Amino acid sequence: MIYKDNDNKMPVVAILMRMLALAGPDKRPLIERELRMMRAGIATEREAAALIDMYLKDSTRSAVVHDLRLVSNDGRAAQIDHLLIHRSRRFYLLDTKHFAHGLRITEDGDFQRWDEAARQFAPIPSPLDELTRQISTLRDALEPLGLDDAPVDTLVLLAPNARIERPRRFDSARVIKADQFMERLNNGRDAAPMQTALGNLNRTRMSDSIGDIAHKLIALHRPSTADTLARFGLRRHAPEL
């Protein structure tokens, strides 16, 4: 069952478009880059959410929360693209990434994206490290519920048409395409151990308390809109909004 959809980020896109029209040559590249990244992220999240919803919208054994942003007591923020909550109290963090021109993972586990303008690969922060930080913040949110020690599995989901260059030594199994994840979910019996557990989402009955957990986490949601606007010197309730 779907408990939360993606936040509507189009108002922020509209604000940035107005800023772009008025911006000087020093600010235009920054705003254009932000718009490209935001639009690509929105498209990728929607595509992944559509695949997840297609399989799990009528689920009686799992809860789905899209676009959940949690902030811990010490100010650490975690933007969780998709959260699955299984009746067994197992959690699945799914992080969607958009790499239009390709992703390379090195033998040392470093991540690089293809920079079309520079015609070369450029280093980027590891999505796997980002998921590790998300787990920490999620556990803080689960502690009052007595679930801070619940098992949490993670995956990085890429667009179905993404090109991935994988290493031989470094284990990149947690980086897959969004449609492959849903295939593995649907065929969990023949998948890897983690995916077998995911397959159980389709063969169990939801506990009534799973919905309560989802609602309590959603109550902690802090949208990232204000952060995006603050980078450009705007406030959430500024007159120009």
Side-chain angles (χ1 to χ4, degrees):
M1 181 176 179
I2 313 303
Y3 281 83
K4 180 183 179 301
D5 292 321
N6 289 332
D7 289 349
N8 180 14
K9 300 180 179 68
M10 295 313 296
V12 179
V13 171
I15 292 169
L16 293 177
M17 287 293 294
R18 293 201 297 271
M19 290 180 62
L20 182 62
L22 300 172
D26 58 328
K27 291 289 182 69
R28 286 187 65 87
L30 180 63
I31 299 173
E32 288 173 344
R33 180 176 182 275
E34 184 72 20
L35 279 167
R36 285 196 302 271
M37 292 177 60
M38 182 170 288
R39 285 168 170 159
I42 290 172
T44 303
E45 287 181 17
R46 284 179 176 173
E47 189 171 40
L51 286 168
I52 294 170
D53 292 355
M54 181 173 64
Y55 282 84
L56 299 179
K57 65 180 180 179
D58 298 320
S59 172
T60 59
R61 69 289 183 238
S62 62
V64 179
V65 179
H66 296 300
D67 206 359
L68 177 67
R69 185 173 183 270
L70 302 174
V71 180
S72 63
N73 293 332
D74 62 2
R76 288 179 292 112
Q79 179 65 53
I80 300 172
D81 291 340
H82 314 282
L83 176 66
L84 308 186
I85 308 171
H86 185 225
R87 66 176 290 274
S88 65
R89 306 302 195 278
R90 194 175 192 92
F91 295 79
Y92 302 91
L93 292 181
L94 310 178
D95 189 30
T96 53
K97 295 297 181 185
H98 179 82
F99 300 106
H101 301 290
L103 170 70
R104 172 191 286 170
I105 308 173
T106 71
E107 296 294 341
D108 295 324
D110 296 323
F111 284 72
Q112 302 172 347
R113 64 179 293 274
W114 178 256
D115 187 328
E116 186 67 15
R119 304 299 298 172
Q120 63 182 7
F121 280 97
I124 59 172
S126 168
L128 298 178
D129 291 344
E130 182 179 334
L131 282 167
T132 299
R133 292 189 290 270
Q134 290 181 13
I135 291 176
S136 177
T137 304
L138 176 62
R139 291 198 186 284
D140 287 347
L142 292 174
E143 184 175 4
L145 307 180
L147 293 169
D148 52 308
D149 61 347
V152 180
D153 289 316
T154 58
L155 282 175
V156 177
L157 302 185
L158 306 184
N161 62 346
R163 188 179 79 249
I164 310 173
E165 294 185 24
R166 296 183 182 274
R168 293 184 177 182
R169 293 194 308 269
F170 180 79
D171 184 4
S172 63
R174 287 192 292 148
V175 181
I176 63 176
K177 298 182 180 181
D179 54 343
Q180 293 173 333
F181 162 70
M182 296 316 303
E183 289 174 5
R184 294 187 188 185
L185 172 61
N186 196 41
N187 300 288
R189 182 176 303 174
D190 300 322
M194 176 183 165
Q195 306 305 333
T196 301
L198 285 170
N200 290 335
L201 289 170
N202 286 327
R203 295 190 288 273
T204 54
R205 187 177 59 186
M206 176 185 282
S207 167
D208 292 338
S209 64
I210 298 301
D212 295 335
I213 296 171
H215 283 305
K216 289 175 180 177
L217 289 175
I218 293 169
L220 300 175
H221 175 57
R222 299 294 180 266
S224 60
T225 300
D227 291 348
T228 302
L229 297 179
R231 290 203 298 273
F232 295 92
L234 297 175
R235 291 176 288 110
R236 181 73 176 94
H237 301 291
E240 58 264 44
L241 303 188

